[in-house]
Amino acid sequence: MSRLIHRRDNDFGSSLLCRRNADNEETRIVGQSSRFEKLEAALDLIRAACIFVAAVALVVLIATFGWLVFGRYVLNATPTWVEQLALLLICYVAFLGAAAGIKEDTHLGVSLFRDMMPFVIQKVLLIATDFALAAFGIVMLIAGITLMQFGWDTLLPMLDIPESFRTLAITSCGALVTLFAGARGVLRILTFSDWQPVTQELEI
């Protein structure tokens, strides 16, 4: 029995549906809608920006902890602001990375029951999954905005900036998840009848 998986097309930049059969071949279901290339390129650019910001935050996080160790054991003067900055940065690393994972479709998932369904139903379930993720993103976005409004008058200790800067990571993640998952679901609906199987040998 073939198994439906995801693969990324380096030429088009879209998330493709693929299946692997008993002959160790990979069958890709490719949408033939080049008019969506600009949208995909824009989404890829947003994803790249998420990865860049998360990477910069991680580098700053590591550098500040190095300064913490140096200050504590060499200068005998512990920079107390490092812990609060680390808590702030780790939120952006985690939530922006999670949002980028939605675009790349790299999050773990259990597809056992979906793989047992007919091929058309599998595609419908993938679309339903996209919109379920988009709905979750909307909930996260609304909750994040509420938390930002609630924490604007509260300052983070040592940093003296509003608590809302920490919950901004949650709000941003919700907006990005809604965008990435919702756009993918819409694109899959618009190209549903255009998907065609393309078989290629897998490298072992």
Side-chain angles (χ1 to χ4, degrees), residues 148-171:
M148 288 182 66
Q149 293 173 341
F150 179 78
W152 185 256
D153 295 328
T154 303
L155 298 180
L156 290 173
M158 307 298 175
L159 299 180
D160 291 331
I161 60 175
E163 176 76 24
S164 299
F165 281 98
R166 181 178 294 169
T167 53
L168 176 61
I170 302 174
T171 308

Side-chain angles (χ1 to χ4, degrees), residues 60 63-65 67-68 77-89 157-160:
V60 174
T64 54
F65 263 96
W67 175 251
L68 173 66
T78 303
T80 55
W81 52 268
V82 171
E83 289 188 28
Q84 290 299 324
L85 181 61
L87 291 174
L88 176 64
L89 293 176
M158 307 298 175
L159 299 180
D160 291 331

Side-chain angles (χ1 to χ4, degrees), residues 3-4 107-115 125-126 129:
R3 177 175 178 270
L4 194 69
H107 288 284
L108 294 177
V110 179
S111 59
L112 174 64
F113 295 106
R114 187 186 69 203
D115 295 341
L125 290 176
L126 283 171
T129 301

Side-chain angles (χ1 to χ4, degrees), residues 58-143:
L58 185 60
V59 170
V60 174
L61 177 65
I62 294 173
T64 54
F65 263 96
W67 175 251
L68 173 66
V69 174
F70 181 80
R72 176 176 296 175
Y73 295 102
V74 178
L75 302 179
N76 198 26
T78 303
T80 55
W81 52 268
V82 171
E83 289 188 28
Q84 290 299 324
L85 181 61
L87 291 174
L88 176 64
L89 293 176
I90 200 65
C91 289
Y92 286 92
V93 173
F95 284 107
L96 292 180
I102 293 294
K103 176 64 178 69
E104 291 292 327
D105 202 12
T106 54
H107 288 284
L108 294 177
V110 179
S111 59
L112 174 64
F113 295 106
R114 187 186 69 203
D115 295 341
M116 298 170 61
M117 301 295 177
F119 183 52
V120 174
I121 296 180
Q122 291 185 44
K123 294 200 290 184
V124 172
L125 290 176
L126 283 171
I127 294 172
T129 301
D130 288 333
F131 286 116
L133 286 171
F136 177 78
I138 292 174
V139 173
M140 183 181 292
L141 174 61
I142 295 174

Side-chain angles (χ1 to χ4, degrees), residues 6-19:
H6 288 282
R7 178 188 172 94
R8 202 171 161 72
D9 188 349
N10 294 328
D11 296 329
F12 182 46
S14 59
S15 180
L16 303 177
L17 303 178
C18 311
R19 86 169 25 184

